[in-house]
């Protein structure tokens, strides 16, 4: 039986990818710094909920190209670095446990006062004999965690945009026309 599991594991793909999108009712100027500045991630990052033992260390610089953060937790350690920033895109690399490389992109599209934020992550596992299983697990964990993070980011950004919050309250408090 274990030989069958090993053989199946050898045939499974070692690559995985996660793509998640959220619409945020906030200006891009509010949303983008929450992503490009690691000192802001504590406001929305879901990782402390997933692993209560995790400890983050934000490096210098903390924002923009070259910004990096590292962490240690019960599931291992890693480091994330922002590799490029443009008007509508932030690219990053993650190194997990000194061997597992992940690349990713946050893409911003702003239309009609709504920011559509997409997070795309690609990775490859390197664990001998079990890489296929590790890829499936990684995709599952990242898919759920990225969704949670984007939802948290949506809430924080929307509550941080005073103009949009005021407009929302004004529309809720205006008398109805019957």
């Amino acid at each position: 039986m274990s030989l069958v599991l090993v053989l199946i594991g050898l045939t499974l793909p070692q690559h995985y990818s996660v793509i998640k999108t959220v619409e945020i009712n906030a200006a891009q100027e509010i949303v983008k710094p929450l992503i490009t500045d690691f000192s802001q991630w504590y406001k929305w990052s879901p990782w402390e909920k997933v692993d209560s033992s995790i400890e983050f260390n934000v490096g210098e610089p903390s924002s923009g190209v070259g910004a990096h953060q590292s962490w240690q937790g019960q599931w291992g350690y890693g480091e994330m670095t922002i590799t490029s920033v443009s008007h509508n895109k932030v690219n990053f690399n993650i190194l997990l446990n000194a061997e597992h490389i992940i690349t990713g992109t946050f893409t911003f599209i702003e239309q009609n006062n709504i920011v559509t934020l997409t997070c795309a992550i690609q990775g490859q596992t390197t664990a001998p004999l079990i890489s296929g299983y590790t890829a499936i697990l990684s995709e599952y964990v990242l898919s759920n965690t990225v969704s949670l993070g984007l939802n948290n980011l949506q809430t924080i950004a929307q509550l941080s945009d005073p103009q949009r919050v005021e407009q929302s309250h004004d529309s809720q408090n205006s008398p109805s026309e019957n």
Side-chain angles (χ1 to χ4, degrees):
M1 177 68 165
S2 60
L3 179 60
V4 171
L5 290 175
V6 169
L7 291 175
I8 291 171
L10 290 172
T11 64
L12 293 172
Q14 297 175 359
H15 295 275
Y16 60 88
S17 67
V18 172
I19 300 173
K20 296 293 180 178
T21 300
V22 66
E23 289 187 350
I24 303 173
N25 187 11
Q28 184 168 325
E29 296 77 34
I30 299 292
V31 177
K32 194 170 181 179
L34 291 168
I35 293 169
T36 60
D37 186 351
F38 287 132
S39 68
Q40 300 294 311
W41 278 49
Y42 74 93
K43 295 177 180 177
W44 62 271
S45 173
W47 290 106
E48 287 87 351
K49 301 278 189 264
V50 174
D51 178 358
S52 61
S53 72
I54 201 164
E55 292 184 29
F56 285 92
N57 181 20
V58 176
E60 288 296 329
S62 67
S63 66
V65 176
H68 60 280
Q69 67 176 343
S70 59
W71 62 89
Q72 176 79 41
Q74 71 183 18
W75 293 349
Y77 60 95
E79 182 171 338
M80 180 175 182
T81 303
I82 295 175
T83 58
S84 70
V85 177
S86 69
H87 171 71
N88 65 341
K89 193 178 284 190
V90 176
N91 292 309
F92 60 89
N93 289 334
I94 299 173
L95 179 62
L96 292 177
N97 299 323
E99 64 181 35
H100 185 131
I101 298 172
I102 299 171
T103 59
T105 304
F106 286 101
T107 306
F108 307 85
I109 300 172
E110 188 169 12
Q111 285 184 307
N112 302 323
N113 298 318
I114 302 287
V115 171
T116 302
L117 176 64
T118 300
C119 179
I121 297 173
Q122 299 82 38
Q124 179 177 350
T125 60
T126 57
L129 302 179
I130 61 166
S131 286
Y133 295 112
T134 306
I136 292 169
L137 178 63
S138 296
E139 188 168 313
Y140 175 77
V141 169
L142 282 172
S143 181
N144 290 309
T145 308
V146 168
S147 289
L148 178 59
L150 290 178
N151 289 335
N152 292 347
L153 181 67
Q154 176 189 49
T155 300
I156 296 301
Q158 289 177 175
L159 291 174
S160 298
D161 191 336
Q163 182 179 357
R164 305 266 170 98
V165 170
E166 185 177 304
Q167 288 172 350
S168 172
H169 288 300
D170 286 348
S171 67
Q172 290 175 0
N173 295 330
S174 62
S176 62
E177 295 179 20
N178 288 346

